[in-house]
């Protein structure tokens, strides 16, 4: 006879606040490398290829660990896995802060990549300990704070690295991660483990997915040089296809797959994944192109802004991104997820296309980037909320982790494609790309985003309160 489980313990604002604090800190720690990459290359004597490796290794680790963390959270309980994951992240932050050279810094970044798995685990805890209506808002708040933390890290990393040292830009957010982890451990009650599962870890699936993601990132990072080496490109693409095919075959046969492809076949999961990918490809183009356009010399067609000035110009977008999460959660609860997603896509696509046509004044880019950040936050929050509340509670972690992995891959593809476009449009002997490259990048990003409406219109309206 099975003993009935006790009902979940409801939590107050302090526990949710601790999760939000953790989201801010991990978002900031995740984002510090990108704006300071030139400084790191200079201080650690890195080549451009080594700098590219440093910029993507955390993303690759995060894409790998997120579905594993979500699955373990569903199986053993979100809090138990979250605390252990944050211990790994904290160790990685401290290693990165103390790193004297590139190899040690790479180790730190690999460990830090575990932080991407924190979001699905937070969603497990929110759904377990809050009523359904409140959980939608809380998921939005946590998602928005993670985005806001990332933007804050992007803005603060440069001044901290230049004013103090590169070591402090890793150390400061790591201290906050440790403090927030302690608070979560004290304030958040243990959640109930999900379905028992005695199967081991899917090591073959993890290895094949790792190889596929590494190969994909290699193709993207080397894209500007592979055009003149078609044989190398063909070999990499064949290798990528073989790894994906092998991973798919393993996941279909293994008793306890790392990623349950049967879940991915559900419309409630695959539609948000497709939408997330397309939306993030469009958004990441702006994330890359707008700062580049600010930095172009004012003798050409840009504004000649330095790093501090660019950070100031991006501040409205930071505020919009941090507000988008809770606004998206409230909107999903009141109007349904599909309505919020559709509105966000329309605003995002329109903003990108308008930027392609009009970008001759600073305020054009400031307002455009702000609207893009707001729209992306609304879309991603509503997509995660829709996924989290459309599957069985025991599947929350793995389902939302699939959406978040898709977000990471979409951003990587969009940023690299934009960089490749600028590189291809830069005349020999110059470091300034043709203005037409920016126009083309914005318009293509807007078109890709607009096409996602074809998928959005097929989604269920969603539950409203």
């Amino acid at each position: 006879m099975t003993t009935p489980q006790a009902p979940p313990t409801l939590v107050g604002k302090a526990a949710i606040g601790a999760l939000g604090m953790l989201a801010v800190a991990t978002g900031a720690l995740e984002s510090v490398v990108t704006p300071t990459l030139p400084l790191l290359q200079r201080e650690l004597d890195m080549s451009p290829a080594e700098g590219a490796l440093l910029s993507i290794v955390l993303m690759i680790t995060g894409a790998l660990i997120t579905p594993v963390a979500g699955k373990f959270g569903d199986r053993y309980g979100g809090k138990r896995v979250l605390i252990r994951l944050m211990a790994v992240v904290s160790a990685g932050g401290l290693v990165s802060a103390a790193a004297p050279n590139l190899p040690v810094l790479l180790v730190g970044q690999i460990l830090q990549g575990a932080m991407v798995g924190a979001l699905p685990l937070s969603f497990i805890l929110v759904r377990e300990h809050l009523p359904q209506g409140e959980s939608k808002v809380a998921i939005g708040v946590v998602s928005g704070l993670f985005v806001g933390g990332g933007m804050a890290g992007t803005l603060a990393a440069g001044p901290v690295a230049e004013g103090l040292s590169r070591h402090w830009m890793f150390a400061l957010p790591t201290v906050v991660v440790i403090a927030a982890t302690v608070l979560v451990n004290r304030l958040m009650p243990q959640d109930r483990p999900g379905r028992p599962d005695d199967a081991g870890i899917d090591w073959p699936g993890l290895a094949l997915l790792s190889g596929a993601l590494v190969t994909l990132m290699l193709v993207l990072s080397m894209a500007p040089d592979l055009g003149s080496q078609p044989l190398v490109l063909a070999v990499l693409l064949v290798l990528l296809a073989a790894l994906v095919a092998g991973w798919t075959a393993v996941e279909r046969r293994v008793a306890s797959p790392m990623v349950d492809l049967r879940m991915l076949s559900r419309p409630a999961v695959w539609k948000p994944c497709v939408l997330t990918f397309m939306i993030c490809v469009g958004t990441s183009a702006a994330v890359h192109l707008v700062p580049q356009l600010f930095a172009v010399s004012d003798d050409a067609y840009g504004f000649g802004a330095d790093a501090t000035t660019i950070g100031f110009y991006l501040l409205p977008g930071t505020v919009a991104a941090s507000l988008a999460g809770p606004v998206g959660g409230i909107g999903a609860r009141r109007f349904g997820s599909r309505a919020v997603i559709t509105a966000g896509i329309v605003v995002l696509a329109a903003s990108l296309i308008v930027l392609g046509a009009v970008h001759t004044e600073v305020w054009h880019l400031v307002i455009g980037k702000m609207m893009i950040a707001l729209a992306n936050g609304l879309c991603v929050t509503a997509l995660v909320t829709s996924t989290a509340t459309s599957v069985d509670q025991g599947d929350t972690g793995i389902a939302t982790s699939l959406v978040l992995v898709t977000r990471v891959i979409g951003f990587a593809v969009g940023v690299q494609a934009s960089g490749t476009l600028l590189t291809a449009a830069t005349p020999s002997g110059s470091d300034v790309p043709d203005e037409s490259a920016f126009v083309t990048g914005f318009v293509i990003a807007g078109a890709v985003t607009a096409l996602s409406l074809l998928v959005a219109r097929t989604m269920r309206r969603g539950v409203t309160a």
Side-chain angles (χ1 to χ4, degrees), residues 180-198:
T181 302
V182 171
L183 288 176
V184 170
N185 191 44
R186 290 178 61 89
L187 297 175
M188 186 67 67
Q190 292 288 350
D191 51 325
R192 296 172 296 180
R195 297 183 299 270
D197 188 350
D198 296 329

Side-chain angles (χ1 to χ4, degrees), residues 235-298:
V235 169
L236 287 174
L237 291 177
V238 170
L239 176 60
L240 177 60
L243 289 168
V244 171
W247 175 71
T248 302
V250 167
E251 297 303 278
R252 287 181 179 277
R253 295 179 182 179
V254 71
S256 180
M258 184 183 69
V259 176
D260 190 347
L261 295 181
R262 291 171 298 180
M263 178 175 293
L264 192 58
S265 68
R266 303 178 191 176
V269 178
W270 74 257
K271 288 182 181 180
C273 286
V274 171
L275 283 168
T276 299
F277 178 81
M278 297 178 74
I279 289 167
C280 288
V281 166
T283 302
S284 60
V287 168
H288 183 75
L289 292 174
V290 168
Q292 296 288 333
L293 189 50
F294 276 135
V296 171
S297 170
D298 51 9

Side-chain angles (χ1 to χ4, degrees), residues 24-26 28-30 32 168-178:
V24 171
T26 52
L29 186 58
E30 180 191 46
V32 297
W168 282 104
M169 74 179 188
F170 294 108
L172 292 177
T174 299
V175 170
V176 182
V177 167
I178 294 172

Side-chain angles (χ1 to χ4, degrees), residues 18-81:
L19 281 177
M21 177 180 173
L22 186 61
V24 171
T26 52
L29 186 58
E30 180 191 46
S31 64
V32 297
V33 167
T34 300
T36 59
L37 190 57
L39 180 149
L40 292 171
Q41 288 178 290
R42 185 171 62 251
E43 291 196 2
L44 297 177
D45 195 24
M46 290 190 293
S47 68
E50 291 171 331
L53 175 63
L54 179 64
S55 67
I56 65 175
V57 67
L58 185 149
M59 188 178 298
I60 293 173
T61 306
L64 291 170
I65 201 66
T66 299
V68 177
K71 185 178 181 66
F72 278 21
D74 287 332
R75 184 188 300 178
Y76 302 116
K79 177 184 174 180
R80 183 177 292 104
V81 179

Side-chain angles (χ1 to χ4, degrees), residues 16 26 46 71 108 117 119 125 132 180 238 268 284 330 332 365 396 399:
I16 301 301
T26 52
M46 290 190 293
K71 185 178 181 66
L119 276 180
L125 292 174
Q132 182 173 349
V238 170
S284 60
I330 294 171
L365 295 177
T396 302

